[in-house]
Amino acid sequence: MALLKLIQIEFFKLRRRKFLWMMMFSALIMPFLSYLLFKYAWSTGGDPVQFYKWSAFGLTLFIVLPVVLGILSSMLMYNENQYDMLKQIWIVPVSKMRYFFSKFFVVLIYSICFMIVTALGSVIFSILLDDLALDWHNTLFLIRKCLEIGIITAFAMLPILAIATTQNGYILPVSITLVYAFLGSIIVSINMYIHPLSSMALIVARNGDIPGLNDTQVISIPLAFFSIFVWGIGSVLLANVALARRK
C-alpha cells in the first residue's frame, strides 16, 4: 500500500506538467510519417504488418520511446533534486527503494500509455490508406505487440533511471539516454544480447512475425530476458547506493 501511495503522489506531482502531454504527442509522429510515406512514395502491397513495422515497430521501438522514457526518468529525479526535497522525503520516512520503484512504475505506466496511443494512431492512419486489408486479427496483433513494447521497454530503461538518481541535473542523463538509444539500435545488428533495448527488440520479434528484424541471428528468448534482468539488477543496486548517499 505504501508503494501505491507513492505512485499516486508521483502522478499528482506530474499532472500539471505540460511536457508530459507534449511527449505523449510524439507517439503519433511515426504513424503520421508512415502514412505519408506509404501514401505518396511506397506501397504496402496490402499487408498491414508492413505499415505497422514503420509506424510502431521501427524507430518508435528503438529511438522514440526510449528517448521519451529517458527524458521522463531524468525529469522525475530532477524535480526532487531541484527543490532539495529528498531530505524531507527521508524524514517521513520513505524507503529509498520504494521511492525508486515508485518512479519506475510511473515510467512503466507512461510507457504503456505511449504505445497504446501509437497503436491507436497506427490504426487510424492505416484506415486512411486505400490498399490495406485491415481486419481484427491484424489490429489485435498490433495492440499486443505495442503492449509488449510498452512493458519491456520500461524495464530496458532501468539503467537510465538509475543513472538519473546519481545526478542533480538532467543534462547528463538525457545525453546518456540519446547515446543509449542509438547504441541499442546499432548493436541490434551485431549482438542482440549485449544491450537491453536490442534484447527487447528480439523478444518482441521472437516469432519472426515482424519482417526485417533479427532475421539473421540465432534467437534465444531466455538469454534476451536474462540480459534485461542482469542490467535491471545492476541498475537497482546502483540506485540503492546513489540514494543511500543522498542525505
Side-chain angles (χ1 to χ4, degrees):
M1 291 300 293
L3 181 58
L4 290 177
K5 189 68 175 179
L6 285 175
I7 296 171
Q8 184 182 29
I9 292 172
E10 290 295 334
F11 278 106
F12 280 146
K13 289 190 292 186
L14 293 174
R15 61 183 176 178
R16 294 182 180 177
R17 295 278 180 175
K18 293 182 179 179
F19 77 93
L20 284 177
W21 300 106
M22 294 175 61
M23 290 198 300
M24 188 62 77
F25 182 75
S26 64
L28 298 174
I29 291 177
M30 285 312 299
F32 176 66
L33 293 179
S34 299
Y35 165 73
L36 295 179
L37 180 67
F38 286 101
K39 180 71 174 180
Y40 299 105
W42 291 359
S43 171
T44 63
D47 183 7
V49 177
Q50 287 292 343
F51 179 80
Y52 298 154
K53 176 188 172 185
W54 284 89
S55 67
F57 308 145
L59 288 180
T60 299
L61 183 153
F62 285 108
I63 303 296
V64 179
L65 179 60
V67 169
V68 166
L69 296 184
I71 294 174
L72 175 62
S73 300
S74 303
M75 297 306 295
L76 287 173
M77 291 298 178
Y78 175 72
N79 287 338
E80 272 78 23
N81 292 329
Q82 182 183 21
Y83 301 109
D84 198 21
M85 294 174 59
L86 284 180
K87 294 178 181 177
Q88 301 175 36
I89 294 174
W90 299 157
I91 291 173
V92 171
V94 172
S95 163
K96 294 179 174 58
M97 281 295 93
R98 282 180 183 167
Y99 169 80
F100 176 76
F101 281 111
S102 69
K103 305 285 188 184
F104 167 73
F105 278 108
V106 171
V107 174
L108 174 63
I109 294 170
Y110 191 89
S111 179
I112 294 172
C113 293
F114 187 96
M115 288 310 299
I116 290 175
V117 173
T118 296
L120 293 176
S122 299
V123 171
I124 292 172
F125 283 113
S126 63
I127 291 174
L128 299 179
L129 293 172
D130 298 328
D131 61 341
L132 285 182
L134 294 174
D135 55 33
W136 280 110
H137 174 76
N138 290 320
T139 303
L140 291 176
F141 168 78
L142 170 69
I143 295 173
R144 178 168 59 83
K145 289 296 180 183
C146 283
L147 288 176
E148 287 182 10
I149 293 170
I151 294 172
I152 304 174
T153 303
F155 285 91
M157 294 303 294
L158 267 171
I160 300 300
L161 185 62
I163 290 172
T165 64
T166 68
Q167 302 295 315
N168 290 324
Y170 60 87
I171 295 178
L172 182 60
V174 171
S175 300
I176 293 175
T177 295
L178 296 176
V179 175
Y180 185 78
F182 281 100
L183 195 61
S185 63
I186 295 172
I187 287 180
V188 72
S189 61
I190 303 172
N191 189 320
M192 304 188 78
Y193 306 105
I194 296 177
H195 196 292
L197 290 178
S198 57
S199 296
M200 176 270 295
L202 187 149
I203 295 170
V204 172
R206 60 190 177 279
N207 296 322
D209 45 12
I210 299 179
L213 196 59
N214 72 30
D215 290 341
T216 59
Q217 298 184 38
V218 176
I219 296 176
S220 174
I221 301 303
L223 188 57
F225 274 112
F226 181 72
S227 173
I228 296 175
F229 175 77
V230 169
W231 279 90
I233 292 297
S235 302
V236 171
L237 293 176
L238 173 62
N240 192 27
V241 173
L243 292 174
R245 291 178 177 177
R246 291 182 177 273
K247 302 297 184 182

